[in-house]
């Protein structure tokens, strides 16, 4: 039985008769294949990744497991449509806190049509992409049973300044996160989520080390998805913090050139998170 993802924070949503992804109860995520070259490019990337021996084993954990494609009934009622089938990266979490961060100071890809290029350029300039090398696309932060969760409006989140981005990154690991703009986030869970040998920062540094060398792919308009389990942290357990790379419709061959656009964005995000860990 397929259903609409409960914890989706960015991208196209399968609600109100719109086309979007679906999930099942076995931990699989069904993403409708885009009809133009974007769909075939994403399938080609996953196929290439699964067989490419130049991708180290320790890097593969950052990508959702790929299960192939399948023809399914589309969520918008338009009939049968091919879907990518991949791992639902939040399926193992009861109350996941999630952040989707689009990486790169530019989100358009080489040979993009002029209208697409202009749309991307406009959005990159209006958001923090151009200035910071990344932008927050959406998030939700789970609190306790009384406070529920905080899920700010996506359009507002995408237009944050550098100071506001720091504030949101702090709220993401705070026990008092809320929509109250006057509330100073306590960053209580920063060390258990961002820090440590298996925390978000350590995982981003591992990715950065690969991007400093890899010239196989250029990851245009891809996102870093950060997930952790607030309920576990509140009980003094492990955060289960995970970093995943998602959205590969604009990946192109690297042709022996380092992906400086993505690498620069990762470095910038690392800097922001490092400062949160070292600043009271």
């Amino acid at each position: 039985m397929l259903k609409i993802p409960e914890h989706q924070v960015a991208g196209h949503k399968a609600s109100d008769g719109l086309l979007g992804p679906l999930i099942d109860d076995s931990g699989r995520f069904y993403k409708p294949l885009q009809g133009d070259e974007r769909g075939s490019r994403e399938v080609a990337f996953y196929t290439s990744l699964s067989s490419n021996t130049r991708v180290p084993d320790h890097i593969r954990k950052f990508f959702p497991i790929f299960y192939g494609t399948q023809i399914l009934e589309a969520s918008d009622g338009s009939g049968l449509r091919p879907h990518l089938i991949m791992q639902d990266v939040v399926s193992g979490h009861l109350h996941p806190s999630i952040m989707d961060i689009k990486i790169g100071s530019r989100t358009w890809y080489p040979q993009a049509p002029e209208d697409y290029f202009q749309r991307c350029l406009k959005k990159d300039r209006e958001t923090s992409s151009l200035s910071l090398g990344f932008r927050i696309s959406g998030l939700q932060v789970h609190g306790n049973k009384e406070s529920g969760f905080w899920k700010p409006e996506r359009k507002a989140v995408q237009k944050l300044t550098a100071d506001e981005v720091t504030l949101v990154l702090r709220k993401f690991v705070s026990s008092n996160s809320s929509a109250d703009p006057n509330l100073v986030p306590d960053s209580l869970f920063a060390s258990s989520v961002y820090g440590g040998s298996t925390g978000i920062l350590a995982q981003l540094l591992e990715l950065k080390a690969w991007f400093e060398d890899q010239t196989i792919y250029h990851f245009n308009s891809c996102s870093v998805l950060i997930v952790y389990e607030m309920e576990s942290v509140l009980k003094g357990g492990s955060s289960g913090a995970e970093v995943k790379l998602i959205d590969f419709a604009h990946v192109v061959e690297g042709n022996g050139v380092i992906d400086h656009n993505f690498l620069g964005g990762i470095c910038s995000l690392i800097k922001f998170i490092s400062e949160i860990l070292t600043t009271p």
Side-chain angles (χ1 to χ4, degrees):
M1 182 70 183
L2 298 180
K3 54 191 177 185
I4 296 171
E6 184 185 351
H7 302 298
Q8 188 179 346
V9 297
H12 302 287
K13 291 193 173 183
S15 57
D16 303 321
L18 298 175
L19 183 65
L22 300 165
I23 58 170
D24 63 17
D25 290 324
S26 67
R28 297 196 176 192
F29 187 92
Y30 300 81
K31 180 179 179 180
L33 218 60
Q34 297 177 84
D36 52 20
E37 76 280 356
R38 290 174 293 177
S40 56
R41 191 182 288 126
E42 191 155 25
V43 172
F45 167 74
Y46 271 114
T47 305
S48 167
L49 180 74
S50 61
S51 60
N52 199 318
T53 55
R54 290 185 293 164
V55 178
D57 288 342
H58 73 278
I59 292 298
R60 293 187 180 277
K61 69 185 177 192
F62 293 111
F63 296 91
I65 300 166
F66 178 56
Y67 298 107
T69 60
Q70 187 176 337
I71 306 291
L72 298 168
E73 188 69 38
S75 62
D76 61 354
S78 60
L80 295 173
R81 189 185 187 101
H83 286 65
L84 281 167
I85 312 171
M86 63 195 87
Q87 172 192 9
D88 177 9
V89 298
V90 302
S91 66
H93 294 270
L94 190 62
H95 300 296
S97 288
I98 310 166
M99 188 180 298
D100 183 309
I101 305 169
K102 193 169 287 292
I103 303 293
S105 57
R106 62 159 179 78
T107 55
W108 46 272
Y109 60 98
Q111 289 83 50
E114 181 63 23
D115 61 331
Y116 181 84
F117 163 73
Q118 291 297 342
R119 282 202 312 275
C120 288
L121 191 60
K122 183 174 184 289
K123 197 164 188 179
D124 292 345
R125 285 171 171 166
E126 290 175 349
T127 63
S128 67
S129 288
L130 202 57
S131 58
L132 302 184
F134 67 88
R135 68 172 177 256
I136 299 172
S137 296
L139 76 151
Q140 72 175 28
V141 185
H142 267 278
N144 53 37
K145 288 176 182 175
E146 292 76 36
S147 62
F149 65 88
W150 176 56
K151 193 171 187 176
E153 217 281 314
R154 282 193 283 172
K155 285 187 178 177
V157 168
Q158 290 173 13
K159 299 198 174 182
L160 301 173
T161 63
D163 286 344
E164 289 167 338
V165 164
T166 299
L167 187 68
V168 169
L169 287 169
R170 283 189 177 280
K171 281 190 169 190
F172 187 63
V173 290
S174 292
S175 66
N176 61 344
S177 295
S178 79
D180 183 354
N182 301 313
L183 201 65
V184 178
D186 59 22
S187 305
L188 191 63
F189 312 127
S191 59
S192 54
V193 176
Y194 290 150
S197 60
T198 59
I200 297 301
L201 181 60
Q203 293 178 56
L204 290 174
L205 287 168
E206 195 174 355
L207 263 180
K208 171 180 171 278
W210 183 57
F211 273 92
E212 286 173 336
D213 289 327
Q214 83 87 16
T215 59
I216 313 165
Y217 308 109
H218 282 192
F219 290 85
N220 304 297
S221 199
C222 291
S223 288
V224 159
L225 196 72
I226 296 174
V227 186
Y228 78 94
E229 184 61 56
M230 176 70 85
E231 192 78 12
S232 177
V233 178
L234 288 168
K235 292 175 180 175
S238 167
S239 68
E242 267 190 301
V243 169
K244 293 286 185 184
L245 297 179
I246 59 169
D247 296 337
F248 307 112
H250 302 298
V251 173
V252 295
E253 289 186 14
N255 296 320
V257 178
I258 285 174
D259 186 357
H260 290 287
N261 181 55
F262 198 93
L263 176 60
I266 284 281
C267 288
S268 179
L269 180 58
I270 285 170
K271 178 176 177 287
F272 274 76
I273 290 176
S274 297
E275 287 175 354
I276 289 170
L277 283 168
T278 55
T279 309

